[in-house]
Amino acid sequence: MATEHTVLLVDDHPQNLELLEIYMEDLPEVRVVTATNGLEAMARVAEESPDLILLDIMMPKMSGFEVCKRIKSDPKTRDIIVVMVTALNETSDIERAAECGTDDYISKPIERKALVGLVRSLLAAKTRG
């Protein structure tokens, strides 16, 4: 049996969250947990220790930039793979995401095969260690 991975989906728009959940159905080895804002995401990270986070940037309470920065600055969570998922696609946004420590960056609208392939390859690389 394949290793089960936990993927945290974080987005403040229910439709986006639902779409990401549907896309993750292509990955039977993935258990999905969700959060609808940055504070909730930090609580889920503490509770679930996800392997990978698909993280929206523009959210109330705490931005994806701040969530990523906190995750990557904590020795207990810094190995979690963080992929920023956003409608922002200016060079400055990409640079800011990189400064926060994001492992990858994918722009909306999200193409299903591209996202599934990215998640699969990042989790495989993590499994190989």
Side-chain angles (χ1 to χ4, degrees), residues 3-71:
T3 307
E4 184 176 87
H5 294 284
T6 300
V7 173
L8 173 60
L9 308 176
V10 187
D11 200 303
D12 58 318
H13 293 286
Q15 308 89 325
N16 293 345
L17 218 43
E18 191 177 319
L19 190 64
L20 289 171
E21 286 182 275
I22 290 167
Y23 288 2
M24 290 299 102
E25 289 172 3
D26 290 356
L27 298 164
E29 70 276 17
V30 165
R31 182 176 71 91
V32 170
V33 290
T34 61
T36 57
N37 63 58
L39 293 176
E40 195 181 330
M42 293 306 298
R44 291 285 176 282
V45 166
E47 294 162 11
E48 303 283 348
S49 297
D51 298 290
L52 186 143
I53 303 171
L54 294 176
L55 180 62
D56 185 29
I57 291 178
M58 305 294 285
M59 293 184 296
K61 299 186 183 174
M62 186 188 301
S63 75
F65 291 128
E66 183 62 27
V67 172
C68 185
K69 201 179 298 180
R70 288 184 184 200
I71 289 167

Side-chain angles (χ1 to χ4, degrees), residues 52-98:
L52 186 143
I53 303 171
L54 294 176
L55 180 62
D56 185 29
I57 291 178
M58 305 294 285
M59 293 184 296
K61 299 186 183 174
M62 186 188 301
S63 75
F65 291 128
E66 183 62 27
V67 172
C68 185
K69 201 179 298 180
R70 288 184 184 200
I71 289 167
K72 293 300 186 175
S73 65
D74 184 335
K76 291 191 292 285
T77 57
R78 70 172 161 229
D79 292 334
I80 297 171
I81 301 164
V82 178
V83 178
M84 297 274 195
V85 180
T86 184
L88 302 174
N89 57 10
E90 297 293 320
T91 303
S92 60
D93 299 318
I94 296 166
E95 288 169 354
R96 186 164 173 209

